[in-house]
Amino acid sequence: MTVVYEINTLVWLGELSGRYGRPVTLGDVPGEAWDEIARPGVDTVWLMGVWERSPAGLALALRDPGLLASFRAALPDLTEADLAGSPYCVRDYVVDTRLGGPDGLAEARAQLAARGRKVIVDHVPNHVAPDHPWTADRPGCLIQGTPDDLAHAPDAYLEAAGHVYARGRDPYFPPWPDVVQLNAFSAELRDAAVETLIAIGDQADGVRCDMAMLMTNEVFARTWGERAGAVPAEDFWPYVIPRVRARHPDMLFLAEAYWDMEYLLQQQGFDHAYDKRLYDRLVHEDAEQVRAHLRADLGYQRGLVRFVENHDEPRAASALPGDRERAAAVTVATLPGATLWHEGQFEGRRVHLPVFLARRPAEPPDEDLRAFHQRLLEAAAAVRRGEWHLLETTGRPDNDTHRSLLAWSWTAADARHLVVVNHGAHQAQGRVHLPWDDLRGAGRLLTDLLTGQSYDRDGDELADAGLFVDLPAWQAHVLTVPVPDPDPDTLRTAAVTA
């Protein structure tokens, strides 16, 4: 199952340059630094922000007082050199020379491939920078306006390359100041997107598609109405993705998705889509709401991306303080589907850095938290094999704290695992009802992969009553459950049959 590690590429390379006392690009990252990234339990590295950023877009963004305030809040000693521009205001899909250019990305991909890791990069389907070549060469790819539009709504339109274009937006927020809007209904844009993604697939193993749901017929029509033209019979992604995969059959497509549109995007060709609903429930809601979410169809769940942090969300150490962060991490790490981790999350960074900035403030690492995540990554890699089942819990009539317990199992031919998380602020006790019917007749030694602690339990009790669990607030077990030895009669029968 896919486990993605997101890196802010520009910031990471800047910090490596400071560490090694020389400019470091993707083409000459020391091997030991790649080893740190290609850690056990991670199979895919997301190099966020590798494409050329737009000077024109940055100039527009710097006129926004709110953005400037967010920059200074994150980096109090902000300097002009720290203002790199947004990686989601793409001037061109060419690797930035500051990062090592196309040759640098090719070397980074080769280094990670040698370590058994894949590379994904960004694709921004909804908008481009005002100085992107298409504003001059392919105006039919964009939502166009008129001089009257610009005069009456300068916050919603801008002039670029002699044309008036709509600024990029989603339907629930004001337009973004630094980008121009692509037209999802344009046949020219759809073919241009195919060309772009094929070129990206020549350089990387997959893409994380920014705000992917904005390009669906339903959302785009609601956002742009008649300005977009007639609604095509076919949606954007079912047109684009198969044509890209004709050239790159194994290319990974990961969708940033909101508004409960992840299932639609899965149906339209994405391998995985953000599970923002689970994130919100882990941060804001109780175990009953999380459990209800996990009752969804298993095929749908396998196509989700579970996370408790990424570059768009607050740092987990601030949004989920203390042990609650660890409980959430165990949850997302051991569920079906893909898992997304964000560089700095393991060390407990708390400052949410705007993507416009090339530098972040120094923060002391939380070594205990780092060690916990390393154990968790290794445990999750061992656990997530075979069949997954959400399990029920029960408690005594006078003690309903079991409702805070979330539990699920993984069953493979040669391994069984049980995960129990107390998603609650108080101690929880209850019985977890196990899915295995061959536990009777002997003691069973359960071992927690997070702590190394072992628990000797009677197999008959496990089969009849379930496993009794007593967990403090926001604590978890990731347990190995030994596979019983085959019955001797079964072995003899198998031998005779062979």
Side-chain angles (χ1 to χ4, degrees), residues 34 77 86 128 150 213-214 220 263 285 295 302 318 391 467:
W34 285 126
D77 60 342
S86 171
V128 292
L150 182 60
M213 73 286 174
L214 294 182
F220 206 82
Y263 178 72
E285 298 179 1
R295 291 195 175 103
R302 290 192 183 108
S318 59
L391 305 179
L467 174 67

Side-chain angles (χ1 to χ4, degrees), residues 140-153:
C141 290
L142 294 103
I143 296 284
Q144 300 189 47
T146 66
D148 282 347
D149 291 326
L150 182 60
H152 290 99

